[in-house]
Amino acid sequence: MGDNYAPLVGGDGYAPEKLRAIIPVGGKATRLLPLTAETSKACLRLLNRPLVEFSLLSLASQGVRNIIFGVKGYTNYRDLYDYFESGYGFSARYNIKPRLHIKYQPNVEDLGSADSARINMEYYNLRNPIFAVQGDNIFDVKIKNLTDFHNEKEAALTIVLREVDNVEGLGIADIDKNGKINSFVEKPLPKDAPSNLANTGLYVISPEVRKIFKEKGIQQIIKDKNRLDFGYDFIPYVIQSGYPVYGYTLKGSWFDVGTPKNYLEAMKNLLHNGVPMISNFDERLDLDSDCLVWVQGDSNDSEKCRKQTIQRIKQKKINVSGAVLIGRHCQIEDGATLNNCCIDNFTRVGKNAVISNTAVMDRAIIGDYAEVTDSIIGRHVAVCSSQRNPTKISDISVIADDVIIKEGCVLSTSKVYPHQKVRGEFINQTLMTN
């Protein structure tokens, strides 16, 4: 990979190894359905790797070595534990030394993101500041600057804020000139939003917060609402109780990958502008044109496949434009057109197929003459298609894992849940197994 992960201690007393990062992964991720029907949102593939890897790499590159996954629910626990275990394999793959230590929430059902932080702070007896990170966000934040700000302000809680054009679906803060948060509203109507500063879901939490969790007011919220969410419950309570809560305005990039539309926008943006925590996806092809193309492959076997693909791109047998990331062991036939897309490992793309503004996850098959635009194709999906009977998928259609799309299908703005065989024309529909 060629990335260098930060040593543990800076010369000025900054000690990131003392910082524990908690990544709450408890939600059902309904906005990303059907992709998350059987997959934890944190492990959804983006740019040919699980989404949460971006957070882990960002933390590791800044010296953080202790991570707690605040998991709730079978799918979240299974996917994260089976993939990351205690962090050995991940550390080896990215050459992170000393290695990352990954722990998991004890087997206790939490009542929301703040409750997950409460359970883990108690269980692991955390007495240093905690950095809470969302598993479905990609962020570029300098942790040292953030923790310096937090300590300077003697804050109980520091919330990382980001200016946004559209406040819809986000938590919005109103801050004074020193950065102190006066009020906070979760998902206000645009006309009621006090500002355009949105909560990114990144928090620095002081150890004192353990006491706040035990207060009567918090116990009352849990009793009344059967919930303790950061945005809806905990942050407003801490502000109203007069504790110092500050907003740190983020200058770096931040993406919320919470909907299919956002997922595709983040994919395109990251392909074009790079990912701060990854030096590169792999060596970029040197083409005469201004398009950005990467073909992955590092073993002897995948290298052979890589060379063939590169040769055919250079001979213009495969048409590429915009930014294109092609994974390992992909087979792409002559006449295929790839534009602003991501093709994951072991995928086969047929003759004269067109893939544009689209993510195709690993081990998928896109048949001859298929047209897939502005859509997400899940893992192990077969899009059958032929010259006589081409298949068309468009307008933010989302095909979940292990689906067979029959020849000649037309899908527009439609969603297909896993393990189905689909034939026919569908516009604005959701297809589920009975």
Side-chain angles (χ1 to χ4, degrees):
M1 293 298 294
D3 295 290
N4 293 317
Y5 285 92
L8 284 189
V9 181
D12 53 3
Y14 168 60
E17 78 283 2
K18 286 192 173 149
L19 192 70
R20 290 283 181 108
I22 291 184
I23 305 179
V25 187
K28 290 265 194 291
T30 48
R31 296 184 305 156
L32 271 168
L33 285 169
L35 294 170
T36 47
E38 296 177 354
T39 303
S40 170
K41 176 161 64 171
C43 289
L44 198 62
R45 290 180 73 77
L46 174 70
L47 302 179
N48 301 357
R49 67 190 75 211
L51 181 50
V52 75
E53 280 201 2
F54 294 103
S55 298
L56 294 178
L57 290 170
S58 181
L59 295 165
S61 68
Q62 300 182 65
V64 177
R65 290 296 183 269
N66 290 290
I67 312 281
I68 298 166
F69 280 129
V71 288
K72 176 169 85 171
Y74 165 68
T75 307
N76 288 323
Y77 171 71
R78 176 200 65 193
D79 284 4
L80 284 161
Y81 186 80
D82 289 357
Y83 191 85
F84 292 103
E85 291 187 330
S86 65
Y88 273 110
F90 179 77
S91 303
R93 184 176 329 127
Y94 289 105
N95 198 20
I96 298 166
K97 290 171 184 164
R99 78 174 181 91
L100 228 53
H101 290 267
I102 298 178
K103 294 181 164 63
Y104 295 81
Q105 183 163 312
N107 194 355
V108 181
E109 279 287 301
D110 65 65
L111 300 171
S113 53
D115 199 38
S116 172
R118 178 190 70 81
I119 289 166
N120 288 297
M121 285 173 86
E122 281 305 315
Y123 184 80
Y124 290 110
N125 192 19
L126 303 185
R127 301 193 175 280
N128 285 309
I130 281 108
F131 185 32
V133 176
Q134 302 310 305
D136 60 344
N137 287 353
I138 294 175
F139 54 86
D140 178 18
V141 67
K142 302 282 173 279
I143 299 170
K144 182 183 185 306
N145 298 355
L146 171 61
T147 49
D148 285 352
F149 174 89
H150 176 81
N151 296 334
E152 227 167 79
K153 301 292 187 191
E154 298 182 347
L157 185 65
T158 296
I159 301 172
V160 178
L161 303 171
R162 178 70 203 263
E163 284 187 20
V164 292
D165 299 330
N166 178 9
V167 299
E168 227 167 307
L170 297 165
I172 303 298
D174 174 35
I175 62 173
D176 71 15
K177 61 181 190 303
N178 297 317
K180 192 166 190 218
I181 298 181
N182 300 319
S183 67
F184 182 86
V185 198
E186 184 67 15
K187 299 188 175 134
L189 293 167
K191 63 175 175 53
D192 302 332
S195 75
N196 70 336
L197 289 172
N199 175 9
T200 60
L202 304 172
Y203 311 114
V204 182
I205 304 167
S206 288
E208 296 81 57
V209 166
R210 279 174 69 169
K211 295 196 196 84
I212 302 176
F213 279 130
K214 296 190 171 92
E215 289 182 9
K216 280 201 183 79
I218 290 285
Q219 301 308 314
Q220 197 59 45
I221 290 171
I222 291 175
K223 203 172 134 198
D224 295 347
K225 298 186 177 174
N226 197 35
R227 181 188 75 195
L228 191 61
D229 179 74
F230 269 115
Y232 283 113
D233 312 308
F234 189 66
I235 295 169
Y237 173 85
V238 179
I239 293 167
Q240 283 152 21
S241 303
Y243 290 103
V245 178
Y246 280 82
Y248 175 89
T249 307
L250 180 67
K251 297 286 184 273
S253 52
W254 172 71
F255 299 98
D256 164 21
V257 189
T259 65
K261 188 169 179 286
N262 288 3
Y263 174 103
L264 287 170
E265 273 171 20
M267 175 193 85
K268 203 164 149 182
N269 206 309
L270 292 164
L271 282 174
H272 279 276
N273 300 315
V275 186
M277 66 286 304
I278 303 171
S279 59
N280 222 320
F281 305 109
D282 248 350
E283 211 171 315
R284 197 180 125 194
L285 295 199
D286 188 17
L287 301 172
D288 307 334
S289 62
D290 53 1
C291 57
L292 305 164
V293 181
W294 298 266
V295 182
Q296 296 176 318
D298 40 23
S299 68
N300 290 343
D301 299 318
S302 61
E303 188 58 41
K304 189 174 126 202
C305 215
R306 180 173 186 265
K307 281 181 177 150
Q308 285 170 349
T309 303
I310 291 171
Q311 195 181 358
R312 306 217 339 269
I313 289 171
K314 289 187 169 167
Q315 291 166 345
K316 303 215 172 352
K317 288 180 177 172
I318 299 169
N319 311 302
V320 291
S321 58
V324 176
L325 174 62
I326 298 169
R328 300 191 309 277
H329 296 285
C330 290
Q331 292 174 344
I332 299 168
E333 300 297 333
D334 290 355
T337 296
L338 308 177
N339 164 51
N340 286 327
C341 63
C342 191
I343 310 290
D344 208 337
N345 308 327
F346 290 98
T347 290
R348 285 162 44 197
V349 178
K351 281 200 299 276
N352 298 323
V354 175
I355 300 174
S356 177
N357 294 318
T358 287
V360 179
M361 292 185 195
D362 49 338
R363 224 174 170 81
I365 298 172
I366 308 293
D368 297 350
Y369 294 89
E371 274 180 45
V372 189
T373 52
D374 302 300
S375 294
I376 303 173
I377 307 294
R379 311 179 75 178
H380 211 285
V381 167
V383 177
C384 306
S385 178
S386 65
Q387 185 171 7
R388 206 185 74 228
N389 213 1
T391 295
K392 295 187 178 179
I393 299 172
S394 65
D395 301 309
I396 319 254
S397 287
V398 180
I399 316 297
D401 298 353
D402 190 37
V403 165
I404 296 172
I405 307 281
K406 295 290 196 180
E407 253 182 49
C409 269
V410 177
L411 290 155
S412 168
T413 324
S414 291
K415 296 179 174 183
V416 182
Y417 275 70
H419 318 302
Q420 299 187 77
K421 286 189 176 135
V422 174
R423 60 172 44 154
E425 249 182 72
F426 302 93
I427 296 169
N428 255 326
Q429 296 203 37
T430 299
L431 310 180
M432 301 173 90
T433 39
N434 300 332

